[in-house]
Amino acid sequence: MRATQRILLLAAVAASVAAMSAAPAQARDNQRQVAPAKIERTLAAEISSQARRRPRPATRLRVYRERLPPNAVRTCDAWYVQEFRPSGPVIVPRMRCRWIAG
């Protein structure tokens, strides 16, 4: 009888060890199934946020050559202006450019 009890006890221990080792493996399998879905959601959110953050195209400078002489030159005047802001007076650069016959 003792041999039978030992066999049943060993079988019960083996079954519990097998169940305990199967639980983490099953959890890992569940994580593997969840991870691609989570990655897809993250990628979709990142792509949509990049679509919203499209940079503005550069401002185009239009030059109407039909009004300018062939030897026209662009000259620029630059100066500083004092602006009054809530943080206090600030000196900022200003520039004005124009085309003249060269």
Side-chain angles (χ1 to χ4, degrees):
M1 180 147 173
R2 287 189 176 235
T4 307
Q5 288 177 346
R6 285 183 189 164
I7 291 174
L8 289 175
L9 181 63
L10 285 175
V13 169
S16 64
V17 168
M20 289 172 50
S21 65
Q26 192 175 27
R28 281 194 308 267
D29 291 341
N30 289 341
Q31 286 178 352
R32 287 183 191 144
Q33 291 172 358
V34 171
K38 188 182 284 187
I39 290 171
E40 288 176 11
R41 283 194 305 266
T42 305
L43 288 175
E46 186 175 331
I47 289 170
S48 66
S49 67
Q50 286 176 355
R52 280 182 263 141
R53 283 188 268 154
R54 287 189 183 148
R56 207 185 285 182
T59 304
R60 303 289 300 212
L61 176 64
R62 293 183 183 160
V63 178
Y64 300 102
R65 297 297 287 177
E66 64 270 1
R67 297 182 191 165
L68 297 174
N71 61 348
V73 179
R74 186 175 184 214
T75 61
C76 296
D77 298 324
W79 65 95
Y80 293 101
V81 176
Q82 184 177 8
E83 289 185 358
F84 297 97
R85 298 188 181 172
S87 61
V90 178
I91 297 176
V92 294
R94 298 285 182 186
M95 182 180 281
R96 181 183 306 139
C97 296
R98 61 181 182 270
W99 292 89
I100 60 170

